């Protein structure tokens, strides 16, 4: 079923009018309530009442992650008063974390787009959903929770982890929908087999997977082993959390809710819009949010976009799976990792040089693994193995504290980390096949 | 009398030990004593050579991580209880041995062992006081 048919199947001309109406209200609202944005808009030489149609969006300045960090905590809020009923904070290890806030309206918007997403994947009111995304500051768990509540589902909020219990709940309550990271659902298949449960006879029929990149071959594997339909969900906490875009049962791109999250695809070097179908950086304007509306937010995710009507009947544009990043961020088990965080740790340990390489791998049916190779310099080298082991333990502990994920640290000989054009290749992501 | 040991960091991959040994061989350096301490992912090669200054220069020039450590080479009677006799001296005097290993060849009826102590100077002094025969640098070079 289609949750908001009048919006999701709207004619393009009508949709454009709706987007224009929203933008015309949004810009004066932000301008009058957020001094940081007022300055940005003034600096761009734009008069708020000069914004008359969605096409005028190109005249507005971009917003970046750096703007969010620099104006931590409340600088980008257009409403930071009592109306803000919920906040989420992302882990920030170099500099400030990213803070997002929601008014009651924003939470209802989040509920709405997540209800659309679950429907888009094939879920319906009355179905049972097992939500195995983490609940807490991470937006995954609560975003799905609000959407399922809005849709009228029976919710089992298992949160992440405790695999044996997840599987027992699956068998005892037969939820039709499972929501978690794609690597976790494969991991659960292995655990199920070890416990004597045949995953192909599992009860989950629809999977909604996101928060980390995954490939078509991984989709095939999940669908085969669990005998279910596996769909991709896209979102980021700066925009709302999960529920920005979602695959329908035809799995031909992710429907982006462009009535509220206006997408542009730009060339990250020239900042100019690319042709439809070409890959570029996804830029999103939140057209109706109240607490932290963002203008032309640079997601740094590389996607392409298609505007033709989908077989499912929805007219909303479809973005491709994420093809890459404009920065060097990688996502491991739902956590954003920047190489600079590791560099920061190594610079802080006496005697170590920031010569390192990160290898991310996902062995069959396993969770993502991160190995950090660190070059050994003469200053830290010792003839005693125990001292070298102590050093690698220290590096491991500090990196783990900075990234909040487990890593393996391997000491390697100097100059063995591949350098191209004088610059070391920092990340080898073996998950992208 | 202290000797110089060269320690080399080795990644656990094929041919690395060969690379070090062939490099030293080509440079005309003779290895007198050798041991490897290994872990899951790397190893530390420790050697005593006839020309340690030349050896370390050559290794560093070829991008090996190497450093110098003071060790003591001791002549130990090549008979049952020979090693125990020396170790008792250390135990009695509270000298801690980090690690030890044997020479490739011997140049008298005694066995030759390399010792790495926690406190090399103190260990050397105790050995001298007890009249234990240690091998000099000159002897190693001329072996």
């Amino acid at each position: 079923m289609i949750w908001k048919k009048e919006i999701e199947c709207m004619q393009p001309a009508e949709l454009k009018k709706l987007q224009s109406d929203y933008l015309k209200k949004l810009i004066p609202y932000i301008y009058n309530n957020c001094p940081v944005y007022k300055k940005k808009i003034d600096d761009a030489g734009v008069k708020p009442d000069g914004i008359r149609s969605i096409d005028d969006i190109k005249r507005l300045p971009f917003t970046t992650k750096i703007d969010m960090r620099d104006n931590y905590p409340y600088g980008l809020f257009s409403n930071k008063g009592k109306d803000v009923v919920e906040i989420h904070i992302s882990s920030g290890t170099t500099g400030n974390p990213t803070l997002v806030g929601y008014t009651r309206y924003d939470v209802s918007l989040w509920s709405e787009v997540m209800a659309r997403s679950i429907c888009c994947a094939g879920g319906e009111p009355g179905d049972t959903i097992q939500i195995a995304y983490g609940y807490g500051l991470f937006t995954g768990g609560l975003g799905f929770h609000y959407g399922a509540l809005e849709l009228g589902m029976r919710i089992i909020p298992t949160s992440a982890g405790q695999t044996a219990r997840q599987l027992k709940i699956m068998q005892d309550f037969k939820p039709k929908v499972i929501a978690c990271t794609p690597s976790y659902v494969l991991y659960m298949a292995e655990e199920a087999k070890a416990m004597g449960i045949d995953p192909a006879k599992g009860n989950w029929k629809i999977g909604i997977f996101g928060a980390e990149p995954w490939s078509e071959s991984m989709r095939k594997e999940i669908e085969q082993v669990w005998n279910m339909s596996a769909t991709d969900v896209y979102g980021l906490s700066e925009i709302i959390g999960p529920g920005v875009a979602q695959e329908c049962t035809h799995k031909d791109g992710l429907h982006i809710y462009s009535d509220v999250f206006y997408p542009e695809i730009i060339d990250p070097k020239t900042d100019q819009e690319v042709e439809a179908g070409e890959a570029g950086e996804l830029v999103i304007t939140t057209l109706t949010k109240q607490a932290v509306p963002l203008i032309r937010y640079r997601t740094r995710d590389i996607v392409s976009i298609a505007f033709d009507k989908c077989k499912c009947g929805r007219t909303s544009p479809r973005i491709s799976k994420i093809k890459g990043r404009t920065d060097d961020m990688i996502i491991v088990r739902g956590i954003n990792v920047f190489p600079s965080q590791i560099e920061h740790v190594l610079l802080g340990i006496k005697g170590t040089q920031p010569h390192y390489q990160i290898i991310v791998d996902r062995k069959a049916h396993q969770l993502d693994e991160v190995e950090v190779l660190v070059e050994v310099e003469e200053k830290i080298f010792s003839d005693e193995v125990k001292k070298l082991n102590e050093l690698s333990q220290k590096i491991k502990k500090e990196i783990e504290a900075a990234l909040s994920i487990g890593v393996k640290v391997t000491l390697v000989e100097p100059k063995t980390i591949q350098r191209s054009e004088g610059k070391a290749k920092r990340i080898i992501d073996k998950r992208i096949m | 009398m202290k000797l110089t040991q060269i320690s080399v960091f080795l990644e656990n991959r094929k041919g690395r030990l060969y690379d070090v040994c062939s490099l030293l061989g080509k440079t005309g350096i003779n290895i007198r004593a050798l041991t490897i301490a290994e872990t899951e992912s790397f190893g530390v090669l420790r050697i005593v050579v006839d020309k340690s200054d030349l050896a370390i220069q050559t290794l560093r020039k070829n991008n090996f991580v190497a450093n110098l450590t003071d060790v003591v080479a001791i002549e130990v009677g090549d008979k049952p209880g020979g090693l125990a006799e020396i170790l008792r001296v250390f135990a009695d005097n509270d000298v801690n041995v980090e690690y030890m290993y044997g020479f490739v060849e011997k140049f008298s009826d005694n066995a030759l062992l390399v010792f790495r102590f926690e406190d090399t100077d103190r260990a050397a002094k105790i050995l001298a006081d007890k009249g234990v025969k240690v091998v000099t640098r000159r002897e190693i070079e001329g072996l």
Side-chain angles (χ1 to χ4, degrees), chain A residues 140-154:
Chain A
L142 281 166
F144 269 86
H145 194 95
Y146 292 143
L149 207 57
E150 175 77 10
L151 194 59
M153 303 180 93
R154 175 177 295 173

Side-chain angles (χ1 to χ4, degrees), chain A residues 294-413:
Chain A
L294 294 180
I295 299 171
R296 306 189 83 195
Y297 183 69
R298 309 273 300 239
T299 65
R300 305 193 201 185
D301 287 320
I302 305 283
V303 300
S304 59
I305 196 164
F307 289 95
D308 54 316
K309 188 172 161 181
C310 180
K311 281 187 235 120
C312 71
R314 290 176 182 84
T315 52
S316 43
R318 293 169 343 264
I319 57 169
S320 64
K321 268 182 177 287
I322 297 169
K323 297 169 194 269
R325 295 273 305 173
T326 63
D327 58 16
D328 49 8
M329 186 185 88
I330 46 171
I331 304 178
V332 179
R333 293 186 225 161
I335 291 173
N336 298 351
V337 173
F338 290 93
S340 55
Q341 293 173 298
I342 289 165
E343 190 161 324
H344 196 75
V345 167
L346 293 177
L347 284 169
I349 295 174
K350 209 173 161 222
T352 57
Q353 295 285 317
H355 294 150
Y356 62 93
Q357 188 168 54
I358 305 160
I359 298 173
V360 190
D361 202 358
R362 185 183 289 152
K363 302 218 177 74
H365 320 295
Q366 295 294 326
L367 296 174
D368 295 352
E369 280 173 10
V370 181
E371 182 179 12
V372 182
L373 307 182
V374 181
E375 285 188 2
V376 172
E377 301 284 318
E378 228 144 74
K379 266 182 257 168
I380 54 169
F381 175 57
S382 165
D383 62 307
E384 291 176 70
V385 168
K386 71 176 179 210
K387 287 201 175 132
L388 292 170
N389 281 338
E390 275 165 21
L391 175 76
S392 80
Q393 276 302 315
K394 183 178 162 72
I395 297 172
K396 177 178 155 72
K397 265 192 202 143
E398 296 201 13
I399 291 176
E400 287 177 347
L403 302 183
S404 336
I405 47 168
V407 299
K408 180 182 173 206
V409 169
T410 303
L411 301 178
V412 298
E413 289 174 22

Side-chain angles (χ1 to χ4, degrees), chain A residues 145-287:
Chain A
H145 194 95
Y146 292 143
L149 207 57
E150 175 77 10
L151 194 59
M153 303 180 93
R154 175 177 295 173
I155 299 166
I156 312 181
T158 50
S159 196
Q162 299 202 33
T163 306
R165 198 165 75 171
Q166 301 272 8
L167 293 167
K168 178 160 173 49
I169 284 168
M170 175 193 76
Q171 291 184 306
D172 293 353
F173 300 97
K174 302 183 175 31
K176 188 166 134 193
V177 184
I178 174 75
C180 64
T181 61
S183 55
Y184 189 52
V185 82
L186 279 179
Y187 177 77
M188 285 198 287
E190 284 307 294
E191 290 290 300
K193 285 179 200 160
M195 289 165 64
I197 302 167
D198 180 4
K201 293 187 183 132
N203 303 92
W204 301 321
K205 292 296 154 220
I206 298 166
I208 308 179
F209 306 118
E212 62 189 21
W214 53 303
S215 58
E216 281 302 325
S217 63
M218 208 167 157
R219 184 200 316 267
K220 270 198 205 102
E221 199 182 344
I222 295 172
E223 295 194 326
Q224 260 167 22
V225 67
W226 280 109
N227 191 20
M228 68 156 81
S229 168
T231 66
D232 194 1
V233 61
Y234 174 76
L236 58 170
S237 59
E238 296 93 315
I239 299 304
I240 196 130
V244 174
Q246 164 73 43
E247 276 178 343
C248 67
T249 50
H250 296 282
K251 296 162 196 167
D252 185 21
L254 291 80
H255 290 276
I256 182 162
Y257 307 120
S258 63
D259 57 311
V260 283
F261 306 130
Y262 184 75
E264 296 170 85
I265 313 291
I266 64 160
D267 179 336
K269 290 200 184 82
T270 63
D271 293 353
Q272 298 300 310
E273 205 168 358
V274 300
E275 299 286 326
E278 268 180 41
E281 182 179 354
L282 176 64
V283 174
I284 298 175
T285 301
T286 63
L287 293 174

Side-chain angles (χ1 to χ4, degrees), chain A residues 127-147:
Chain A
D127 289 344
T128 300
I129 183 171
Q130 183 167 344
I131 301 175
Y133 281 109
Y135 277 66
L137 288 175
F138 175 55
T139 50
L142 281 166
F144 269 86
H145 194 95
Y146 292 143

Side-chain angles (χ1 to χ4, degrees), chain A residues 27 30-31 34-48 59-68 70-71 75-76 293-298:
Chain A
I27 300 306
I30 293 177
Y31 188 84
C34 176
V36 174
Y37 262 126
K38 179 180 184 300
K39 184 170 183 306
K40 274 175 85 81
I41 292 169
D42 285 341
D43 288 349
V46 178
K47 293 268 173 287
R59 298 166 49 207
L60 292 162
F62 291 110
T63 308
T64 64
K65 185 100 180 169
I66 295 160
D67 291 320
M68 302 210 67
D70 286 354
N71 295 293
L76 287 179
L294 294 180
I295 299 171
R296 306 189 83 195
Y297 183 69
R298 309 273 300 239

